[in-house]
Amino acid sequence: MTSIFAKITTATVLSLAIATPVLAGNPAVKARQSLMQLYKFNIAQLGGMAKGKIPYDAKVASVAANNLKTLATVDQTAMWPAGTDNDTMFGETRALPAIWASYPAVEENADALIKATEALAGAAGTDLASLRGAIGGVGASCGGCHKKFRAPE
């Protein structure tokens, strides 16, 4: 009896060890989540200034806005392989399966983000009023994807 239990336990552990790298820690998911963290870091600086929570600094604003502009142009194609949605990888990602069924809309949102970050990069280092005037377009373009294609926390 002990040997059957040991064999079943060993087979189960080995099966999980083999399957886990495929499902957990997918490099594409980790890459896109890392990209989103970079967006978040730079947007937090700009948003903090725009909301008056941190002092406006033209140099910091310009750098953060230009970082966003650069990030928006990163080719993310390899970061979004089919099968990396929250139905398939529950708990690993909040990406809804609708992303892969709505590619033209996703591409339009990506183009809108590029345009919005270009406008922000041109305005953020000018003065606080210009930053405030341009940051809304970035928020709207981010929301264009997140509201439709990201599951709530």
Side-chain angles (χ1 to χ4, degrees):
M1 188 68 104
T2 304
S3 74
I4 291 173
F5 177 74
K7 288 178 183 178
I8 291 172
T9 302
T10 301
T12 302
V13 169
L14 289 174
S15 296
L16 289 173
I18 292 167
T20 299
V22 173
L23 296 176
N26 183 296
V29 173
K30 287 185 177 282
R32 70 184 186 230
Q33 290 171 341
S34 296
L35 181 65
M36 296 301 165
Q37 287 298 315
L38 291 171
Y39 280 125
K40 182 178 177 180
F41 176 78
N42 288 283
I43 289 170
Q45 293 177 69
L46 296 166
M49 288 182 216
K51 293 176 183 176
K53 292 184 178 182
I54 59 176
Y56 173 77
D57 181 315
K59 183 176 180 182
V60 171
S62 181
V63 168
N66 278 291
N67 286 345
L68 289 173
K69 178 180 150 186
T70 300
L71 293 169
T73 62
V74 169
D75 184 343
Q76 298 181 34
T77 307
M79 296 179 199
W80 298 93
T84 60
D85 57 82
N86 70 335
D87 282 353
T88 306
M89 302 180 70
F90 186 76
E92 297 284 327
T93 179
R94 292 169 51 202
L96 295 172
I99 292 171
W100 291 269
S102 307
Y103 184 72
V106 173
E107 190 172 335
E108 290 169 10
N109 286 329
D111 290 342
L113 179 60
I114 290 169
K115 289 178 184 163
T117 58
E118 287 172 348
L120 181 60
T126 306
D127 56 38
L128 182 57
S130 298
L131 167 62
R132 287 179 173 156
I135 198 167
V138 173
S141 62
C142 290
C145 268
H146 290 180
K147 289 176 184 171
K148 293 184 241 175
F149 304 120
R150 183 177 70 169
E153 289 187 77

